[in-house]
Amino acid sequence: MTLHVARTLRPLTLAALATAGLFLSLCTAPSADAVTGSPAPECVEYFQSWRYTDVHNGCGDTVAVTVEYTNGQWAPCRVITPGGWATFSGYGTNGNYVTALRACDPA
C-alpha cells in the first residue's frame, strides 16, 4: 500500500513544482532595460527568422534598441553603432513574432 502512494505522490509533486515554476517565471520575468516606449528610429530595421532576429542600424548615430514580441517575451537592450548589427532571439517554433523595435536605455 505504501509503495502505491509513493508512486502516486511523486508525479503529483513534480507536476505541482513544474506549475509553480512556470507561474513564478511569468510573474518575475525581467522587463527590457528601461524601455522608453518610443519606437526606434526608422533607419533601424530588423530581419527575422524562426531562430534569430537581426537588427541593423542604418542611422548615422549610435542607437540603443530592444525587440518587442507578440507574447511579451523579454529582450535585452542592445547598443548598436552606425552600420552595426545586433542579434536577438527569433520567433521560434511557437510563432512568437517581432511586433516592434523600441528605444531603450542600456544603463
Side-chain angles (χ1 to χ4, degrees), residues 40-47 54-65 79-86 101:
E42 289 184 21
C43 49
V44 179
E45 54 190 347
Y46 68 90
F47 307 91
D54 293 315
V55 178
H56 177 251
N57 179 5
C59 306
D61 296 318
T62 298
V63 296
V65 296
V79 176
I80 311 171
T81 57
W85 291 82
L101 295 176

Side-chain angles (χ1 to χ4, degrees), residues 15-82:
L17 287 173
T19 302
L22 176 62
F23 179 75
L24 286 174
S25 70
L26 292 174
C27 292
T28 61
S31 60
D33 304 347
V35 175
T36 64
S38 62
E42 289 184 21
C43 49
V44 179
E45 54 190 347
Y46 68 90
F47 307 91
Q48 68 178 340
S49 69
W50 76 271
R51 185 156 180 158
Y52 301 110
T53 298
D54 293 315
V55 178
H56 177 251
N57 179 5
C59 306
D61 296 318
T62 298
V63 296
V65 296
T66 187
V67 177
E68 261 184 17
Y69 295 96
T70 53
N71 74 351
Q73 169 183 318
W74 176 83
C77 181
R78 300 236 167 94
V79 176
I80 311 171
T81 57

